[in-house]
Amino acid sequence: MSARGVCEDMVVASSHPGLFSRHGAVLFLRNALVSSGCFAIDMALIWLMVSQAGLDKFVAVTVGFLVANAVNYVLARLWVFRESERGLFTGYVYFLGNALVGLAIILAGFALLTGPLDTHYLVARVIVSMCAGTIVFILNATLNFHEV
């Protein structure tokens, strides 16, 4: 490899430090704040749809997740991953793809917790969200927005 190639690789590495860097930690904390607000929207929608409208809890979890995820994308583009060079539409397609991975994790964990383990649906949603949220953050930070 030429000296120029090495220098270019070093510039890329320094502009996109690893997941466990200070930059990665800042992104994770910003994401946690944004995600917490969106999660509150999600939980409120789930509660309204199940407790007030009588919808099936799996339908409510899916709808709540998709609505909150759209809000999350807007806030993530504006504040969390603001240095991304990914286009707005393309970024949303990737973001939605990563979110669907998260939704699969959420629904599988939700089914386990509310079924055989007989956990209250809101408690189950909180538990599975911590795992899924971390995985989706890693997918977005590395594969979508290329910021770590």
Side-chain angles (χ1 to χ4, degrees), residues 10-138:
M10 289 172 53
V11 168
V12 169
S14 67
S15 65
H16 295 293
L19 191 59
F20 296 105
S21 66
R22 182 179 185 285
H23 179 70
V26 168
L27 291 178
F28 185 80
L29 289 174
R30 286 182 182 174
N31 185 74
L33 289 172
V34 166
S35 294
S36 294
C38 293
F39 184 66
I41 293 168
D42 188 357
M43 293 296 285
L45 289 172
I46 292 168
W47 177 79
L48 283 170
M49 287 185 277
V50 172
S51 296
Q52 304 303 309
L55 288 176
D56 177 75
K57 60 188 175 190
F58 286 94
V59 171
V61 165
T62 303
V63 171
F65 179 85
L66 292 174
V67 170
N69 191 66
V71 173
N72 193 341
Y73 178 71
V74 171
L75 296 174
R77 284 302 299 235
L78 293 173
W79 192 50
V80 180
F81 301 111
R82 61 184 177 206
E83 295 176 23
S84 176
E85 294 178 12
R86 171 103 48 211
L88 191 63
F89 178 75
T90 306
Y92 185 68
V93 170
Y94 277 93
F95 196 84
L96 188 56
N98 292 336
L100 292 176
V101 170
L103 182 59
I105 294 166
I106 287 169
L107 291 176
F110 189 77
L112 175 67
L113 290 172
T114 58
L117 299 177
D118 197 30
T119 307
H120 187 273
Y121 71 95
L122 291 176
V123 173
R125 181 63 174 89
V126 170
I127 292 168
V128 297
S129 293
M130 291 189 290
C131 178
T134 301
I135 291 168
V136 170
F137 166 75
I138 292 168

